[in-house]
Amino acid sequence: MEVDGGAVESQPRKFSLPVDSENKSTKFNIFSVAAPHMRAFHLSWISFCACFISSFAAAPLLPVIRDNLNLTDTDIGNAGIASVSGAVFARIMMGSACDLVGPRLASATLILVTSPAVYLTSIASSPASFFLARFFTGFSLATFVSTQFWMSSMFSATVVGTANGVAGGWGNMGGGATQLIMPYVFAIIEHMGATKFTAWRIAFFIPALFQTLSAFAVLILGEDTPNGNFRRLQKSGDKAKDKFSKVIYHGATNYRGWILALTYGYCFGVELTIDNIIANYFYDRFHLNLHTAGIVAASFGLANLFSRPYGGILSDVMARRYGMRGRLWALWVVQTLGGVLCVILGLVGSLGVSIAVMMVFSVFVQAACGLTFGVVPFVSRRSLGVISGMTGGGGNVGSVLTQLIFFRGSRYTKERGISLMGVMIIACTIPLLFIYFPQWGGMVCGPSSSKIASEEDYYLSEWSPEEKAKGHHLLSLKFAHNSRTERGKTHNSTAAADHAIADPPHV
């Protein structure tokens, strides 16, 4: 199904926001809904938020659902793992789909395919059916990849961290919103006369409908790029139709993507884990009622309103002064501090102190997510979707492993599991030291003095001589020029001189 959200025009298109040579916006105006840049932003975060609400709608209602379906602690742990494990493969495939058909069609298709699982949760009658419903609903979390790909396609290097951070953060906010929404929806339905075992089932129609409507909005109103949709651009010859094997190869062989996947496994993966366990944790450990536990748990996810966006903003701010090295250092510091706070959260035994530590911890772990995707857009131009998918999938893998090791069954108490999870965060952030870009450097070393250490050589190395002869590399050439800002303030004068001597490359 193809519904065109924008046409490829013969005349240069006029935009409401200033753009670079790729027509990517160089400003991020959160109060604008102008097409295509800011409209894509709002469509992406709203649709991703809808998927997050659906995926975690069961978490705040678990005390009721477990009584209705006779769930054991192991069943609950398995269902929590199911809700995030399905998206591991889906996120990797979503990255490839974005590279090949565009984020708009890839995102809307996945949302529509997974929405029936949300509706079907209402008829779950056994632990196995509840497990399956959460598993297939969790596939929708792969829309995170299309969200980040979309923002990287719409916004220039100077603001891409901010755009990715805000879109991802506001989408992730659904994990907190559902902790508030579902208990109140449940209470309203119960007040209208339904029994509690019927009320929780009816409540699932609310997130299911929201998710379905968001898919149609993306499909009808969105555009893949500032220049139009992938299909039109490929038909007109303005965008080469890439090969699946080449896209996968250049993504999978870039070691930086694997390190970021590991790192993301212990910031976003931890966030997913907390979304699954925190309401039940406060309900059982501090004997709170369902509504109060939901409110406390919601405060963790709702911090995404500002914490992940500030991570993206911090990434851009550090890059303006220190370049890519600043982005990497900021990510390492913030995520390591998040690990320390996670260890402390599991050690404190007071309700008030636990809530306070949880709130500060949420800011750091979610900001680290935003900082991660301040780096991701620069790892590869040709395989941006694959790198985004690998990183996003790493988040789900981290959550699955963490829940399997620390929160499944009764091997560890939840508070002990939380502290051990903090140790894992600290350990899995260390490999950031090994990420190195020849043209920009890494955390420990500066840029290479070799003559091949340039943005153009780095990004054009993904294209063969035959592909370059056909002009397939020209979009990468533009991106290379626009990414010179990653040299940092100390190299700004050199970059400015280069810009004055030679105009940006044109296609």
Side-chain angles (χ1 to χ4, degrees), residues 14-30:
K14 294 182 179 180
F15 301 100
S16 299
L17 299 174
V19 297
D20 62 16
S21 60
E22 297 177 273
N23 287 334
K24 294 182 179 181
S25 177
T26 56
K27 286 190 177 181
F28 183 73
N29 183 358
I30 205 168

Side-chain angles (χ1 to χ4, degrees), residues 179-191:
Q179 304 280 359
L180 287 176
I181 294 169
M182 293 306 288
Y184 280 107
V185 170
F186 167 79
I188 291 170
I189 296 171
E190 190 178 27
H191 182 72

Side-chain angles (χ1 to χ4, degrees), residues 81-140:
I81 293 167
S83 69
V84 297
S85 60
V88 174
F89 177 74
R91 285 190 169 199
I92 295 172
M93 295 309 297
M94 175 61 84
S96 301
C98 286
D99 282 321
L100 298 174
V101 303
R104 173 184 138 273
L105 188 59
S107 177
T109 300
L110 181 63
I111 295 172
L112 289 174
V113 167
T114 54
S115 59
V118 190
Y119 289 105
L120 291 174
T121 305
S122 63
I123 62 172
S125 58
S126 65
S129 58
F130 180 65
F131 175 95
L132 289 173
R134 294 209 70 187
F135 176 73
F136 287 111
T137 299
F139 275 68
S140 66

Side-chain angles (χ1 to χ4, degrees), residues 4 21 67 202 211 261 284 293 374 401:
D4 199 324
S21 60
D67 291 341
I202 298 174
Q211 179 173 327
D284 289 337
L401 291 177

Side-chain angles (χ1 to χ4, degrees), residues 483-495:
S483 67
R484 290 180 184 179
T485 54
E486 295 306 302
R487 298 177 183 182
K489 188 175 181 180
T490 56
H491 295 278
N492 276 351
S493 58
T494 302

Side-chain angles (χ1 to χ4, degrees), residues 45-74:
W45 81 258
I46 289 172
S47 60
F48 179 44
C49 182
C51 294
F52 229 100
I53 289 173
S54 295
S55 295
F56 294 97
L61 301 182
L62 275 175
V64 176
I65 297 173
R66 69 182 176 187
D67 291 341
N68 188 192
L69 302 182
N70 298 316
L71 303 176
T72 65
D73 286 343
T74 300

Side-chain angles (χ1 to χ4, degrees), residues 159-179:
V159 294
V160 69
T162 300
N164 274 336
V166 179
W170 285 14
N172 286 354
M173 191 170 57
T178 197
Q179 304 280 359

